[in-house]
Every structure is written in structure tokens, then in C-alpha cells.
Amino acid sequence: MRRTTLVIFALIFLSLTCFAITFNPQTMMRVKDIKPGMKGYGLTVFKGTKIEKFDVEILGVLPKDNITGDIILARLSGGPITQRNAKVIAGMSGSPVYINGKLIGAVALTWRYSLEPLAGITPIENMIASANKEVPIGGASVSIKSSLLRSMGLKKLGNEDYITMVPIAIPLIASGFHPKALGKISSLFEEKGFVFMQAPGGGKMNVKTPLAPGAAFGCQLMSGDMQMTAIGTLTYIDENGEWLAFGHSMMDMGDAQMPAVTAYIHDIIPSIMFSTKLGSPAETVGSLTRDGYFSISGKKGIVPKMLPISIVVANGDKKQKFNVEVVKHPSLTNSLIGTAVSNAVFLSCPDPVDVMTKVSLDLQLEGGRRLSIKDIFYSPTGAGIDPSFFIEDILFLLSDNIYQAVYPEKVSVQITVEKGKKLARIDKLAVDKNIVKPGENFSLTVYLKSYGTDEQITLPISLTVPYQAPEGRATIYVGG
């Protein structure tokens, strides 16, 4: 019976992780067949959920440079790209491009501060190879010889020998956040090419959205009372619901399980630095299963489970509760939990200066185990920072320990914020026994002196000598 169960599980696992999209010469065009001067169109959403066309003119093909693969260089026009001088817009990553009715790839790269709407298009065969794990993960910038670009007719390049193309920025739509909480996590995402945007009104849009090439599309990192969604464009979806998007990596995560969502675009915000789409998540439609070098990919239908987080913050006679869910991934989960905790405190405490913060963390772990830890912090400026770092450190110790990675299945946090400065320093320590045996109990007394007074506080602690303790001198560390 046990052997049968294992075989069934293996078959189910394979059915969820194998990627089925292959190159179709009837509907797709290989990069070797693309020539300068060819004209076609791309698809994307500029406003609402309507998929619109924009014009594309091929300037040439930049040949493969190590892992980067060939890049199709094109000039875009039409819609707000030229009418509002928005050029290449953050959120266009993944916009499919067609020549003679065939899909050639996705808009994916651009130049910062470009004077023209020039874009690098990732060939569709590279996107498919990335989804099938035929290339390593990553998503680095691409340096191109200026002489090669000038040979394609581009003149306004400056005096540099090389020009760097970068992945188009990904709008990270956040709602329900205090600016200080976003500041805490911004470096993690900005170094990956994200740009933070506060969602208008907050939360998901209750609208029907198309799930077709050119649709606004992305991945949800956090949902509930706080939301965080990365938005780009859907490139391709087949009859089985397998999809490709973005045309470049999102966060270099490799295999992953994240909810895939459609999006509603409120408007385009033109900018000299980089224009961006301002959107909100709409419908949850399936899952991202791979974050590869040339694309993100996944499947319509099954939505992966997220990690539930409950946070209660008591500040005087006021109590606020926040319920959120975050994605499960080693490189993201701990930071997202810490950000949610920090945000809950900032939102609940309009005056977080000179306060004591009591934190109670309860983790429901795999296998029915539980872990509960309490601590207290004093903060002269920002009550939301210390509790979040404390919780992230505990989660990191569990997930990155040398024996076995342990992950929570549910996280509950209780925080009490009290005005004042209730501090003490350790004055001295005393034990009731100087000689002990393995397994023996003994008492430790900690003598504290309160901040600003001569009051002495006595704190008794009962300890047990570990059974495996070796013979010799032992040292006890006390701090807090």
C-alpha cells in the first residue's frame, strides 16, 4: 500500500511540473528568419483591461553573447508610447510581438533615459527554452557595442564604447502599506528591477479580465489586508492553459509556486526616467511555476497555497487585527512576513516614538509542532522595526539551520505597544550551586537596576544542565 501511494504522488508531481509548450512553426517565427526593416505589431494594455495594438519596426538582431541569447532590436510606436511620449513603459514586459501574423517574442529590454522608444525583444524560442529549464536562471543586463548599434542606424548613443540594455522595470503594486514599511523592503526588490507603486484605493479590482496574449498579468506576493503584486504582460497561452510572460526573469527564483493574476491598468504615468503602468490585481487565474532567465511561466487553473499570517497590535485601549497571506519561497517569505509585521505596527501606532514593544510569536510548524517565543524592545524612533527583525531572525534560524530546514504553516503575532522607557541593566549574576552534574537543576538569579532610578529588580531563573555536557568549566550568557 505504501509503495502504491508513492507512485501516485510521483505521477501527480510530474504532471504539475512538466512544461508542455513547444515551438510551433505555424504560429511562431524563429529569430534567424527576422530581418531589419520588417514591420509588425505588439499587444499590451494601456488602460483598463482592453488589449491594444502598437506598431513595431525591426532594426536588427543583436547576436548571442554567452548566455544572453539573441536579442531582437525594435522601434515601438503608437498609443501612449509616442502620443504621450511615454516610450517603453514599465509593465510592458512580456508584450507579444507579431510579424506576418507569427509570434516572434516579447518586449523585454530597454535603455534607461532613452530618447527613443527602443526595445529589446526576447525571441519566443528562448522563452520556451527557459520555461523548459534548458538555460540557467538569471536576468542580467546586456552590454552591446555602440558600433553595432550605429550600424543599425542608431545615432544618439553618446561616446561610450558599450551601451547597456536592462530588463524593463516591473511595477510592484502595493496597497495597505505605510511608507516606512515599504522602505524597509524596497532594497530587496529594487535591486531586482522593480519599481514600487501604491495602488489607488487599495485591494483587488472586481472586474472580468481577459486571459489572452497582451493582457495585463502578474504574480501576487502578498494578499489580504496588505497586498503586493508584480505586474507585466502575458505573452502566450496554449489550449492546455500553459503560459509564458515577461520575456525576462522576475527575481531569479527558478522553480517556484506563486499565484498568477490578471490586472486592471488605471493609467500610464509618463516620466523622463521611465514611464510606468499604474494598476491593481484583478482575478487569480493559476500559478507561476518557473522564474527563468528569458521568461516566467506557469499554468492556468490550480492556485498554490500561501502562508497565512495573523497580526494583532494593541496600542493603549485600541486593538487592530491584520490577516495576510504571503508566498512560500526561501528567498521571499521571511522578508515579506517581517514587512507585514512592521507595517501593522506603523499603521496601528501613529506616534511610535519612545515606546516599549512586547512581541509574542507563535509558529505552527510542519508535523503539528509549535514554537512560541516572546521578547520586548525599546524604540526611541520606530516601533515597527525591531519586532520585524526579531521575527525574521527566528524564521531564518529555522529555515537555514544546519540540521533540517523547518518552515511554518501558520504564523501568529501579538504585539503590545506601551508609551515610556522601561529599561534596566544587568548589575550582577549569582548561582545557588558552583558544582553541578549533567541533568541537574540549579537556580540563577539576575540582579537588574532600573533605568533612571536606584531600584533593584531580582529575576530568578531555573536552569537544567544538559545531559551531554562535558566535564569542566561552563559559561552562562545572560542578555536581552
Side-chain angles (χ1 to χ4, degrees):
M1 185 65 182
R2 179 176 295 176
R3 180 174 296 174
T4 302
T5 302
L6 289 173
V7 171
I8 292 173
F9 174 79
L11 290 174
I12 293 173
F13 180 78
L14 288 173
S15 70
L16 288 174
T17 56
C18 288
F19 198 74
I21 292 178
T22 56
F23 185 88
N24 183 351
Q26 303 301 315
T27 60
M28 301 174 181
M29 183 182 294
R30 293 194 182 277
V31 68
K32 67 181 179 63
D33 298 320
I34 294 169
K35 309 297 180 186
M38 284 183 164
K39 294 185 178 180
Y41 66 89
L43 298 174
T44 200
V45 175
F46 294 121
K47 193 174 181 66
T49 61
K50 181 182 178 182
I51 299 172
E52 299 184 55
K53 287 186 178 182
F54 58 90
D55 296 323
V56 177
E57 178 187 358
I58 303 301
L59 301 177
V61 176
L62 306 174
K64 180 184 294 187
D65 179 16
N66 297 324
I67 189 175
T68 59
D70 296 331
I71 298 170
I72 304 165
L73 186 63
R75 179 181 284 109
L76 314 183
S77 60
I81 295 171
T82 47
Q83 293 171 10
R84 297 173 63 184
N85 202 30
K87 305 184 183 71
V88 180
I89 304 164
M92 286 186 70
S93 295
S95 298
V97 176
Y98 301 85
I99 299 289
N100 299 329
K102 291 187 175 183
L103 177 64
I104 68 168
V107 174
L109 303 166
T110 190
W111 283 277
R112 291 192 178 101
Y113 307 106
S114 175
L115 298 176
E116 297 183 75
L118 303 176
I121 297 171
T122 298
I124 185 61
E125 59 257 55
N126 291 356
M127 296 179 68
I128 294 171
S130 188
N132 287 323
K133 305 182 184 181
E134 295 171 10
V135 292
I137 62 172
S141 302
V142 180
S143 294
I144 305 162
K145 286 185 177 181
S146 298
S147 58
L148 178 60
L149 296 175
R150 289 190 179 94
S151 71
M152 296 179 181
L154 303 181
K155 305 300 181 184
K156 301 176 183 179
L157 299 175
N159 300 318
E160 295 84 359
D161 292 333
Y162 286 86
I163 303 296
T164 301
M165 294 191 81
V166 297
I168 298 169
I170 302 170
L172 188 59
I173 309 300
S175 64
F177 284 91
H178 191 285
K180 286 185 178 180
L182 288 182
K184 176 182 177 298
I185 200 175
S186 61
S187 60
L188 171 65
F189 288 101
E190 287 173 354
E191 69 181 15
K192 296 293 185 180
F194 289 84
V195 53
F196 270 104
M197 303 288 293
Q198 286 277 14
K204 279 190 172 184
M205 297 291 294
N206 187 22
V207 294
K208 280 288 181 182
T209 51
L211 190 60
F217 186 82
C219 300
Q220 191 141 40
L221 309 182
M222 186 183 298
S223 64
D225 294 329
M226 310 166 200
Q227 299 201 22
M228 200 177 288
T229 308
I231 291 181
T233 303
L234 182 65
T235 306
Y236 178 83
I237 184 167
D238 69 9
E239 64 276 6
N240 298 315
E242 304 267 14
W243 56 262
L244 298 167
F246 283 25
H248 56 73
S249 172
M250 185 170 70
M251 291 194 74
D252 311 334
M253 293 185 294
D255 290 336
Q257 289 291 327
M258 302 172 66
V261 297
T262 56
Y264 179 94
I265 303 302
H266 300 279
D267 205 352
I268 302 297
I269 303 177
S271 169
I272 295 175
M273 183 175 180
F274 55 79
S275 303
T276 186
K277 295 182 181 183
L278 180 60
S280 294
E283 298 178 272
T284 304
V285 293
S287 60
L288 174 148
T289 57
R290 177 96 180 146
D291 177 15
Y293 195 98
F294 295 116
S295 63
I296 63 171
S297 54
K299 188 167 185 177
K300 177 183 176 182
I302 299 174
V303 179
K305 289 184 178 180
M306 300 176 80
L307 176 63
I309 318 293
S310 171
I311 308 167
V312 177
V313 182
N315 181 22
D317 57 354
K318 294 181 180 179
K319 184 179 287 189
Q320 285 187 258
K321 185 173 183 179
F322 302 86
N323 290 305
V324 299
E325 292 185 320
V326 302
V327 295
K328 297 178 180 180
H329 193 276
S331 66
L332 281 177
T333 302
N334 295 352
S335 295
L336 291 173
I337 293 172
T339 300
V341 171
S342 176
N343 188 55
V345 177
F346 283 126
L347 292 176
S348 303
C349 305
D351 182 22
V353 177
D354 211 26
V355 294
M356 303 297 299
T357 308
K358 297 178 180 179
V359 183
S360 176
L361 172 65
D362 185 72
L363 303 175
Q364 184 175 311
L365 305 174
E366 299 163 337
R369 294 170 293 174
R370 300 184 78 91
L371 176 63
S372 296
I373 301 177
K374 295 181 179 180
D375 210 334
I376 185 169
F377 303 93
Y378 166 71
S379 174
T381 55
I385 300 299
D386 288 333
S388 65
F389 282 139
F390 161 70
I391 290 171
E392 287 182 47
D393 287 344
I394 297 299
L395 294 169
F396 179 78
L397 288 172
L398 292 172
S399 62
D400 202 48
N401 72 80
I402 62 174
Y403 302 104
Q404 178 186 355
V406 178
Y407 299 100
E409 295 182 342
K410 185 177 181 181
V411 177
S412 298
V413 182
Q414 302 255 356
I415 296 176
T416 302
V417 180
E418 298 177 355
K419 196 73 175 173
K421 193 173 185 179
K422 301 176 182 178
L423 302 177
R425 63 178 174 83
I426 297 175
D427 188 37
K428 60 181 179 179
L429 306 174
V431 292
D432 65 338
K433 301 176 183 177
N434 290 319
I435 299 176
V436 290
K437 298 177 181 179
E440 186 176 351
N441 297 326
F442 68 98
S443 294
L444 168 70
T445 302
V446 182
Y447 295 92
L448 306 169
K449 279 198 173 181
S450 296
Y451 170 81
T453 71
D454 291 330
E455 179 188 0
Q456 188 173 69
I457 302 170
T458 303
L459 181 64
I461 302 174
S462 295
L463 297 172
T464 302
V465 181
Y467 284 96
Q468 67 272 34
E471 184 177 348
R473 183 183 294 271
T475 303
I476 302 171
Y477 293 95
V478 180

